[in-house]
């Protein structure tokens, strides 16, 4: 998938810096799981789907520009559906 994203950006006159930034974001972004109780689930045929819209309420970066804090809001309901922070990892000798 990253190859396709990189190729798309390169073919649309974006610089290598943009590709590096995008790849960094994709790798440092946490996996976000939204509870079924925090969005509207609908049945479509034999599948369950959610068409709610979500937005970033707050984001925190480390000095290395990795995402270390993230709050996701359900834009349709205004409810905070994800609030996660990485614990600082200190190296011990």
């Amino acid at each position: 998938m990253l190859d396709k994203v990189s190729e798309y950006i390169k073919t649309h006159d974006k610089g290598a810096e943009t590709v590096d930034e995008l790849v960094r974001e994709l790798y440092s972004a946490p996996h976000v799981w939204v509870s079924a109780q925090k969005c509207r689930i609908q049945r479509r045929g034999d599948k369950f789907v959610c068409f709610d819209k979500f937005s970033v309420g707050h984001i925190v970066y480390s000095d290395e520009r990795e995402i270390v804090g993230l709050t996701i809001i359900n834009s349709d309901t205004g409810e905070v559906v994800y609030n996660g922070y990485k614990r600082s990892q200190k190296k011990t000798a």
Side-chain angles (χ1 to χ4, degrees), residues 30 60 62 64 66-70 82-91:
V60 179
S62 70
E64 292 81 28
E66 292 180 333
I67 297 172
V68 294
L70 181 64
Y82 179 85
N83 192 7
Y85 290 89
K86 284 185 182 178
R87 296 181 191 163
S88 62
Q89 298 174 350
K90 296 182 181 178
K91 293 183 180 181

Side-chain angles (χ1 to χ4, degrees), residues 7-88:
E7 189 59 34
Y8 174 83
I9 292 172
K10 288 177 184 176
T11 58
H12 287 83
D13 297 327
K14 301 292 182 186
E17 182 178 312
T18 304
V19 174
D20 290 343
E21 289 173 3
L22 177 62
V23 169
R24 184 182 313 122
E25 288 295 320
L26 290 173
Y27 276 111
S28 70
H31 292 276
V32 175
W33 297 98
V34 175
S35 169
Q37 289 78 26
K38 295 186 177 186
C39 65
R40 293 174 290 188
I41 304 291
Q42 302 171 15
R43 186 177 192 124
R44 297 285 172 143
D46 61 343
K47 297 180 181 181
F48 292 93
V49 296
C50 173
F51 293 107
D52 289 3
K53 293 174 180 60
F54 300 90
S55 61
V56 174
H58 186 71
I59 191 165
V60 179
Y61 292 95
S62 70
D63 292 337
E64 292 81 28
R65 300 294 298 155
E66 292 180 333
I67 297 172
V68 294
L70 181 64
T71 301
I72 303 290
I73 298 171
N74 183 324
S75 299
D76 295 338
T77 66
E79 181 181 5
V80 173
V81 296
Y82 179 85
N83 192 7
Y85 290 89
K86 284 185 182 178
R87 296 181 191 163
S88 62

